[in-house]
Amino acid sequence: MDVQRIEEIENYLQGKLSKKKQEVFESRLNQDSKLKEEVALHQKMMRGLQELSFREELDKAYSDRHGKSKGRSNWRNKKSISIAASIVFMIVAVWLLYPENGSSLEKELVEVSYDPGLPTSLGLSDQLDFGEGMNAYKTKDYKQAKSYWQPLLVENPSNDTLLYYLAQIELIEKQFEPAAEKLRAIGQEKASVFKEKATWYLAISYLRMNKQEEAKVLLNYILTEGGYEAEKAGVLLDHLQEK
Amino acid sequence: MARMISFLGTKKNKLTDEQLVDGLLNNRRIVINHFYSEIFPQVKALLVRMGAKEEEIKDTFQEGMVALWKNIQNQTYSRNSNAKLSSYLIEICKRRWLEDVRNKKSKSSLAIDQEGLSSHDPNVLDKWLKREELQDFQRLFGQLNVRCQEMLRRFYYEKESLRKMAGDFSLTEASVRNEKYRCMQRLKTIFQSQMP
């Protein structure tokens, strides 16, 4: 009963009542001071919530452009890998092999995959949803990102962009089986721009699922072909040989 | 949403004013980002010439955005007005900045017109929270548990449907409806018990 009353108030405030119902509601409002107070309070809460959220979004939008954007150059240029970076690679490598020790995978995944391509094969409205998902992904709101992307994947099951980014989320969430399945699907696409990266992350998935032999095959391939993260692949292989 | 033209990939595909208004009405993050990438630099260039510093420009633009957004939420912004939306926002920001400068000079405490260029005469039920009230609200909202905060934000700000929320929270629509209601009641109780 109370829920219905509140929903009626909401519908009134949002202008969703028919003209006739609105008139009836307003005449009740004029006679019933308790109802009037309720409406005023409800509106205050709604507006407070909306303005607060909107201001937070503005802050976020500003700092996205002016704060974090500075250091995001091409730090992964293969020819300029510094000793410091190699040490970071070692730490990542150790973490991949001994997962209980660290939590840097999320950072690693999000940072290295910051260059979203646009799935141009999607329709316009789907592209917009994809973009919303990407915004959520960048702010690490993975649940939200999935809510945009999963329905798109159902309709476009072989879209490599969707497969790739959903797999990234699954890796972060430690769901390695489904992630590997998606990454393998990318591998089957002939000309996917995500193919090299997918190979690397598939190797990671195999490691995390204790499928070391499968991982080694892929890492060897990455190393010999000079694929994505070839240096890291080398470090990982050395570790795997030593074990 | 289908009417919206994708502008994600290139700068060539700019959004129309109608799309921007729809985007602000529905609080779409992608549109908010568009304002920062396309219109903020114009406002910045103008206000720099008028002597504003970076932090002041940021605040002025934010207040201008809030004023525009409120006009759109109140449906007092006319889509058919001749002025382009960007010009309208730039004008709001310019006026706010001039007013800020004037207020600082005269140290007067004149209230700034929150609605910017609005000529709308708000009735009793059409008011937004005052700045201090909003700060109190922020504090009180923070007293709700995180789940309640998320539910209310998603429903009232992001305007998500009960169906979508039900899927995300693994609940039935009826449960989401009831839980959201209880969260709102809790917020009201907190607000009423702590606000003078």
Side-chain angles (χ1 to χ4, degrees), chain A residues 2 7 10 43 56 62, chain B residues 54 125 153 156 177 181:
Chain A
D2 275 341
E7 283 179 349
E10 265 173 31
Q43 184 176 47
E56 282 172 5
Y62 178 85
Chain B
E54 178 77 30
L125 291 174
R153 213 186 286 263
Y156 290 105
R177 194 167 166 231
Y181 167 75

Side-chain angles (χ1 to χ4, degrees), chain A residues 2 7 10 42-45 47-51 53 55-57 59 62 127-128 132 147, chain B residues 1 6 8 28-29 54 62-63 70 74 125 129 133 141 153 156-157 164 177 181 188:
Chain A
D2 275 341
E7 283 179 349
E10 265 173 31
H42 196 80
Q43 184 176 47
K44 207 168 203 174
M45 298 299 105
R47 293 223 151 149
L49 192 54
Q50 288 167 341
E51 186 175 345
S53 304
R55 284 180 180 275
E56 282 172 5
E57 289 287 319
D59 278 337
Y62 178 85
Q127 282 190 35
L128 199 83
E132 290 281 1
S147 73
Chain B
M1 293 318 294
S6 168
L8 297 166
R28 306 289 285 192
R29 184 176 290 165
E54 178 77 30
Q62 178 163 126
E63 293 310 313
K70 283 180 179 173
N74 287 345
L125 291 174
L129 278 68
E133 272 184 313
F141 184 64
R153 213 186 286 263
Y156 290 105
Y157 177 72
K164 182 166 184 305
R177 194 167 166 231
Y181 167 75
K188 286 176 183 171

Side-chain angles (χ1 to χ4, degrees), chain B residues 88-145:
Chain B
Y88 180 84
L89 177 59
I90 292 167
E91 185 63 22
I92 293 179
C93 293
K94 189 175 141 192
R95 286 196 192 186
R96 292 195 71 90
W97 171 245
L98 289 173
E99 193 147 5
D100 279 351
V101 172
R102 208 166 33 239
N103 286 344
K104 271 181 206 154
K105 271 187 188 160
S106 63
K107 289 185 181 167
S108 78
S109 55
L110 280 174
I112 293 166
D113 174 22
Q114 281 286 331
E115 261 60 50
L117 304 181
S118 169
S119 56
H120 179 67
D121 179 22
N123 63 46
V124 183
L125 291 174
D126 210 7
K127 280 192 176 152
W128 293 84
L129 278 68
K130 293 192 185 78
R131 200 61 199 265
E132 313 81 64
E133 272 184 313
L134 190 68
Q135 280 164 0
D136 287 328
F137 181 86
Q138 183 174 21
R139 183 173 52 80
L140 300 175
F141 184 64
Q143 293 177 17
L144 281 180
N145 64 47

